[in-house]
Amino acid sequence: MAAANLELFPPCLVLQDEHDNSHQHEHFRGGLTAGSYKFLRLFNLQSTKLFTCFLGIFVSYLIFGIVQESIVKGTYGKNDKFTFILSLVFFLCVFNAIVSKIILIFSKSHRDSTPSKMYAFSSFTYLFAMLSSNYALEFVSYPMQVLGKSVKPVPVMLLGVLVAKKRYPLEKYFYVLLIVLGVVLFMYKEPKETTKIVQAGEIFGIGEFLLFVSLVFDGLTGGIQDKIRDKHKVQAYHMMFAMNTWSCLWASIGIIATGEFYSLIEFLKTYPYVISNIFLLGITGAVGQNFIFLTIECFGPLTCSIFTTTRKFFTILCSILIFGNPITFRQMCGTVLVFLGLFLEQLQNETDGESTLHCKKKRVLNRQEMNSVFHIIVRRLSTQQNHYKLVIIGAGCGGLACAAKLAKKLPKDSIAIIDKNDTHIYQPGWTLVGAGLKTAEELEKPQSQFIPQNTTWIQSYANKIEPEKNLVQLDDGSKISYDYLIVAAGIEMNFNKIKGAVDALDNDPQHVISIYTRKYVRNVFNTLNNFRGGQAIFTFPMMPIKCPGAPQKIMYLAEDLFRRNNVRDKTTVIYNTSLPVIFGVKKYAAALMEIIKERNIQLNTRLNLVEVRAKSKEAIFENLDQPGTMKTFKYDILHIGAPMQPFEFLAKSPLADATGFVDVVKETLQHKKFPNVFGIGDCTNIPTSKTAAAIAGSNSILVRNLSNLMFGTNNPVRKYDGYTSCPLVTGYNKCILAEFDFDGNPLETLPINQGKERRLSYILKKDVMPTMYWKMLITGNWNGPAVFRKLFHLGGTK
Ligand SMILES: Cc1cc2nc3c(=O)[nH]c(=O)nc-3n(C[C@H](O)[C@H](O)[C@H](O)COP(=O)(O)OP(=O)(O)OC[C@H]3O[C@@H](n4cnc5c(N)ncnc54)[C@H](O)[C@@H]3O)c2cc1C
């Protein structure tokens, strides 16, 4: 392959060069059409898929190069040469345009709204880049040309620093320095024996200048294509088609204007076998381009860049070993340095997710990651999954609060949020729905409204976590990998833990109800409001449950309703709880004991509902102090506090503690064994009440700790004190606003005694908190009331 040029005509004008910066490739993710997906389904095994993609790129571009060499460098007849470079470019563009058009037809994709002038301009700059790089070949060797075209990060950084005043992480300067050093080593010419002086022109001659011009035009093309993608959300094949069609036009004008066309016809008449070579060239180019798209789609831009860079390295090796292209040991060292720099640079692009380009952070790669660059390559190539810098499992209250905050810190598409649920529910409002104060519909909004814009929402459930491999498996069997993980999957309600409960809830909603779950909460108010007296039993299940105040809140509201409906004197209200006390915090427990005494509510502790006999309207409770001893209660209304449990996929994962909850350090929310994993909300084993309020009090702490880890910063972090809140609604216009920490110490925000029933607390619960939830908490703008607490108490509180 002496002086052969595999890069002579990069086969697709969409990517200005097969090896491009990963951020350019990134834009093609998700841009693949239905047709490509059908094609993808042919590959079932991930490993086969990866190998196929690698082989596809490697083989097609190798053949492309060999054929290209035989066309361009071969000798025809006695001494004829193929000099019709513009015409060859024209044919390649025709091939690419046809292939992309066929794919567009089969994929039935949307129309491309990009104005033609944008394509016209970028295809023109692209042609110019190609011509200058090809013309450069007349002055430099083939390995030099490949190397020269590979050093794109150098002008990108130069322009970034000098023109756009960008700042990059230190490591990136180092990698670019490696590339520059490598190029200098490669280009350095030994002084001639006679003069011992090297002229500047001998190092940087016309060939090198043309390569530089080609890079600048590549950059211009890339810039315009970025704009097109950002503004018009254009799909890869649309761009491929338009760019190639326009390039055909420009090239054909050139061919006719220079008279090359007529000479080519004469040439082909004399040497007709060249036509089949041109066909082969076009086909391998188009096939190679499709494998590039597939690799980006299946394995991400990093894997693709690694493939193409490796391919280029081997191309140079082939050129040296097989085709005898002369290269010195120094030049070989230079080549290795360039490719090492390129690899590291690509890895960093992947790890910091383009942040350098957007200049959002000063330092992006932490030490731990830097030490494991090799690990990243291995992981990426072995997992072969979609990769995200941050994966969040669960788009409930905790997941969204963190996602919204982190989406402001991380570049576009670095965060994936996994959750199948397409409706977001304000669960704390279910108590109010049960009391007829709100409708269930009022509490529900489309999830899509709250998923932060620059994140990826994966509408699936996670069903397995492999934290040792940084992998999450989805319910369709596919896997995604992450650098950091936040688990915020909530807690599972399971009425099946109580024999007969589901049957009674489903079939006897006039007597058996529950405010827990979207389905059952709709029956509660009707049943309570239509009640005409008898025995009303409210149960509290075994811990842990979310919002432990809820089972008694609905009881107080029901009791108030019975009074308002004049059936209270015909009703016995009973509260059977598995706990030894009415509430876990002494101050509020004392206040609640007063209320139940005053309102004649029977309290039975250490009783756990184990069975519902709908036919005989009997509820069977186990006495927890005498296990195995049952107590039967007749009921006319039975409100069931839902038993809960950790989700099985979490309980079975290495992230769980013995109880099945995510095992995190309670003050930092960082996992105890896997430092790149954090947990928030109901799914964790944090020893505080599982509430949205606890998430408000802890989300900023998680985000700060995770950010410190991600960006290698050392910003001060407040330790989570366990702040949680339980607005204990005790009637239609009163509420005790409990707020407390890990140790059950009150942490009241208002400068009044919140342990007293107050209308203000009721208004806060009914009218203010829902708005705060929707507008502030899940949008990442609410860090709990600590600041106000300090303000109201003039700093005299925690
Ligand atoms: C009746 C009731 C009353 C309440 N009252 C109050 C109150 O007054 N004050 C208060 O602060 N809190 C209250 N809460 C508690 C509060 O709603 C929860 O603590 C809070 O919603 C927990 O948020 P989370 O993000 O941990 O879980 P959730 O908000 O439940 O979100 C979990 C998300 O994870 C998703 N998910 C589950 N499994 C998977 C999986 N395998 N893969 C991917 N995603 C998954 C779910 O679809 C869900 O969207 C109440 C709750 C109830 C039920």
Side-chain angles (χ1 to χ4, degrees):
M1 206 179 292
N5 175 20
L6 295 187
E7 305 305 304
L8 200 57
F9 310 110
C12 172
L13 298 182
V14 176
L15 303 176
Q16 59 271 45
D17 183 11
E18 175 203 349
H19 159 240
D20 206 340
N21 282 333
S22 53
H23 74 278
Q24 299 252 355
H25 290 311
E26 188 75 59
H27 291 284
F28 287 92
R29 291 179 118 178
L32 277 196
T33 54
S36 317
Y37 275 108
K38 277 176 203 156
F39 182 46
L40 273 176
R41 275 193 219 121
L42 291 177
F43 302 104
N44 277 332
L45 283 171
Q46 290 285 338
S47 50
T48 319
K49 213 192 283 180
L50 184 80
F51 186 65
T52 312
C53 284
F54 179 73
L55 218 63
I57 291 175
F58 209 87
V59 171
S60 48
Y61 283 110
L62 207 69
I63 299 175
F64 183 86
I66 292 166
V67 176
Q68 198 175 48
E69 183 193 7
S70 77
I71 296 174
V72 182
K73 297 289 170 188
T75 309
Y76 300 82
K78 272 194 184 157
N79 219 2
D80 273 351
K81 286 274 177 198
F82 184 95
T83 53
F84 315 100
I85 289 170
L86 205 53
S87 308
L88 200 56
V89 173
F90 170 79
F91 284 121
L92 289 176
C93 293
V94 170
F95 267 98
N96 285 323
I98 291 173
V99 169
S100 47
K101 186 69 197 173
I102 291 172
I103 292 175
L104 283 174
I105 290 169
F106 278 102
S107 62
K108 294 195 181 78
S109 62
H110 306 295
R111 271 177 59 83
D112 181 6
S113 62
T114 314
S116 299
K117 62 175 184 220
M118 296 191 89
Y119 285 132
F121 187 58
S122 66
S123 56
F124 187 78
T125 55
Y126 185 76
L127 268 186
F128 214 89
M130 265 202 302
L131 287 174
S132 35
S133 84
N134 296 325
Y135 194 55
L137 259 188
E138 296 205 357
F139 305 92
V140 296
S141 69
Y142 169 67
M144 178 63 222
Q145 202 258 10
V146 174
L147 215 67
K149 288 283 287 178
S150 304
V151 298
K152 213 169 282 175
V154 180
V156 166
M157 182 177 263
L158 260 182
L159 289 173
V161 173
L162 298 177
V163 182
K165 307 280 176 235
K166 287 179 179 175
R167 292 173 67 195
Y168 297 89
L170 265 182
E171 298 87 324
K172 190 137 176 158
Y173 290 103
F174 175 69
Y175 304 148
V176 169
L177 189 73
L178 278 186
I179 299 172
V180 173
L181 264 179
V183 171
V184 169
L185 268 184
F186 193 93
M187 288 168 63
Y188 180 74
K189 294 194 174 101
E190 303 290 345
K192 287 175 188 145
E193 279 301 306
T194 45
T195 60
K196 298 282 180 199
I197 295 167
V198 184
Q199 302 294 325
E202 285 181 44
I203 293 178
F204 199 81
I206 300 177
E208 287 78 9
F209 175 74
L210 284 171
L211 282 179
F212 181 75
V213 170
S214 155
L215 282 180
V216 171
F217 274 92
D218 267 352
L220 260 180
T221 316
I224 304 167
Q225 289 180 341
D226 275 351
K227 262 198 173 162
I228 294 175
R229 280 185 286 259
D230 285 352
K231 210 168 163 198
H232 302 283
K233 308 281 173 247
V234 63
Q235 289 179 340
Y237 286 103
H238 271 303
M239 192 180 272
M240 184 173 172
F241 175 69
M243 291 285 290
N244 281 289
T245 311
W246 274 100
S247 298
C248 286
L249 185 73
W250 296 131
S252 57
I253 293 172
I255 295 165
I256 292 168
T258 56
E260 190 182 295
F261 179 70
Y262 307 103
S263 324
L264 174 70
I265 299 289
E266 285 307 310
F267 187 86
L268 293 181
K269 271 187 196 160
T270 320
Y271 309 107
Y273 61 88
V274 182
I275 298 173
S276 56
N277 277 353
I278 292 176
F279 262 91
L280 191 56
L281 193 71
I283 288 168
T284 48
V287 167
Q289 188 58 67
N290 276 285
F291 273 110
I292 284 186
F293 284 169
L294 279 183
T295 312
I296 295 168
E297 186 59 29
C298 300
F299 309 109
L302 176 69
T303 310
C304 183
S305 295
I306 288 174
F307 283 3
T308 52
T309 310
T310 311
R311 206 275 304 157
K312 284 185 178 187
F313 186 74
F314 276 95
T315 300
I316 293 183
L317 272 189
C318 278
S319 170
I320 297 158
L321 298 177
I322 306 173
F323 299 96
N325 225 330
I327 189 168
T328 63
F329 177 70
R330 176 176 39 75
Q331 285 180 315
M332 198 60 227
C333 293
T335 310
V336 170
L337 272 189
V338 168
F339 280 93
L340 182 68
L342 283 173
F343 264 110
L344 293 173
E345 205 260 348
Q346 283 163 13
L347 280 175
Q348 177 157 27
N349 279 347
E350 170 78 2
T351 318
D352 67 14
E354 286 187 278
S355 56
T356 53
L357 296 165
H358 298 295
C359 286
K360 283 196 176 152
K361 295 172 279 292
K362 273 201 279 187
R363 196 180 170 290
V364 212
L365 209 64
N366 68 55
R367 296 282 151 220
Q368 209 181 343
E369 281 175 333
M370 281 310 302
N371 291 338
S372 60
V373 160
F374 178 70
H375 172 71
I376 296 172
I377 302 177
V378 172
R379 193 181 67 223
R380 292 302 317 279
L381 294 186
S382 60
T383 57
Q384 311 137 26
Q385 312 305 329
N386 280 332
H387 181 82
Y388 295 89
K389 188 169 185 76
L390 172 66
V391 167
I392 300 176
I393 302 179
C397 172
L400 283 186
C402 296
K405 279 197 160 83
L406 287 158
K408 292 176 198 155
K409 293 173 177 255
L410 288 168
K412 195 170 182 295
D413 295 334
S414 328
I415 304 176
I417 307 173
I418 305 171
D419 198 326
K420 202 169 223 160
N421 224 339
D422 56 8
T423 306
H424 193 103
I425 303 174
Y426 175 62
Q427 300 169 43
W430 278 341
T431 321
L432 304 176
V433 174
L437 289 163
K438 291 197 187 286
T439 63
E441 289 73 26
E442 266 177 86
L443 310 181
E444 300 183 1
K445 297 193 181 181
Q447 185 72 279
S448 53
Q449 276 182 24
F450 302 99
I451 301 281
Q453 272 207 336
N454 54 351
T455 60
T456 305
W457 178 17
I458 299 174
Q459 252 192 294
S460 275
Y461 281 130
N463 68 4
K464 191 176 177 188
I465 305 176
E466 297 171 69
E468 304 90 352
K469 297 182 189 162
N470 291 354
L471 280 181
V472 176
Q473 183 178 300
L474 305 178
D475 53 6
D476 63 1
S478 63
K479 292 185 181 181
I480 56 172
S481 59
Y482 59 81
D483 293 332
Y484 301 93
L485 176 71
I486 297 178
V487 189
I491 189 171
E492 187 178 24
M493 300 197 213
N494 185 1
F495 284 104
N496 282 316
K497 282 188 166 180
I498 304 164
K499 194 174 165 196
V502 175
D503 180 46
L505 284 161
D506 283 341
N507 301 315
D508 190 17
Q510 292 79 26
H511 301 101
V512 182
I513 49 175
S514 179
I515 54 167
Y516 291 90
T517 83
R518 192 180 180 191
K519 180 177 167 192
Y520 298 135
V521 72
R522 288 160 206 265
N523 303 327
V524 176
F525 180 64
N526 263 349
T527 302
L528 294 178
N529 201 32
N530 293 332
F531 187 58
R532 292 295 161 253
Q535 188 135 286
I537 302 176
F538 295 81
T539 73
F540 184 102
M542 298 288 278
M543 285 290 268
I545 65 162
K546 57 175 136 190
C547 193
Q552 61 182 300
K553 291 185 214 178
I554 188 63
M555 172 187 71
Y556 296 127
L557 285 161
E559 198 268 349
D560 197 356
L561 185 66
F562 300 154
R563 276 175 208 278
R564 287 164 194 256
N565 289 345
N566 297 319
V567 293
R568 179 66 180 96
D569 49 359
K570 291 185 254 168
T571 305
T572 309
V573 179
I574 299 173
Y575 186 57
N576 284 354
T577 170
S578 65
L579 297 176
V581 288
I582 190 159
F583 197 75
V585 179
K586 268 188 191 156
K587 171 174 178 173
Y588 307 113
L592 293 168
M593 286 305 286
E594 286 296 312
I595 291 169
I596 61 164
K597 213 190 284 172
E598 194 184 295
R599 287 161 71 172
N600 194 23
I601 296 170
Q602 276 184 33
L603 168 69
N604 299 306
T605 57
R606 302 296 284 152
L607 288 184
N608 179 39
L609 179 64
V610 291
E611 187 180 347
V612 180
R613 294 179 187 152
K615 272 194 186 146
S616 54
K617 293 211 199 104
E618 284 175 327
I620 318 296
F621 292 81
E622 180 177 16
N623 183 342
L624 297 172
D625 289 330
Q626 294 165 348
T629 312
M630 303 296 166
K631 195 165 178 192
T632 303
F633 285 75
K634 279 276 195 188
Y635 66 82
D636 297 290
I637 281 184
L638 175 67
H639 178 276
I640 305 180
M644 299 184 199
Q645 62 193 31
F647 281 106
E648 197 185 352
F649 84 101
L650 277 180
K652 280 186 174 168
S653 83
L655 297 181
D657 68 3
T659 63
F661 289 94
V662 181
D663 195 12
V664 295
V665 178
K666 64 178 185 177
E667 292 92 357
T668 63
L669 283 78
Q670 187 171 27
H671 195 271
K672 286 182 185 159
K673 278 194 224 124
F674 300 96
N676 62 337
V677 178
F678 287 74
I680 191 162
D682 297 353
C683 65
T684 64
N685 64 356
I686 297 173
T688 194
S689 273
K690 297 185 184 301
T691 62
I695 289 169
S698 60
N699 75 89
S700 66
I701 292 164
L702 184 157
V703 168
R704 182 63 74 85
N705 278 319
L706 176 55
S707 302
N708 276 345
L709 185 70
M710 252 197 267
F711 309 133
T713 49
N714 204 11
N715 294 318
V717 190
R718 200 165 42 93
K719 283 186 172 172
Y720 180 44
D721 53 14
Y723 171 84
T724 188
S725 157
C726 188
L728 293 151
V729 186
T730 49
Y732 275 80
N733 53 12
K734 46 197 174 176
C735 172
I736 287 175
L737 185 48
E739 291 182 290
F740 47 95
D741 66 9
F742 281 134
D743 304 319
N745 300 315
L747 275 181
E748 296 181 352
T749 305
L750 303 172
I752 49 175
N753 178 8
Q754 292 179 197
K756 281 182 82 171
E757 290 176 292
R758 292 182 189 275
R759 190 173 170 78
L760 173 65
S761 304
Y762 175 79
I763 292 169
L764 284 174
K765 161 74 186 167
K766 180 172 159 285
D767 301 314
V768 179
M769 288 178 190
T771 311
M772 284 174 71
Y773 181 92
W774 293 116
K775 302 265 183 229
M776 294 169 73
L777 179 53
I778 58 172
T779 53
N781 297 310
W782 178 238
N783 301 333
V787 177
F788 297 96
R789 189 168 65 238
K790 288 215 165 68
L791 200 72
F792 290 143
H793 294 270
L794 303 173
T797 176
K798 273 213 276 179

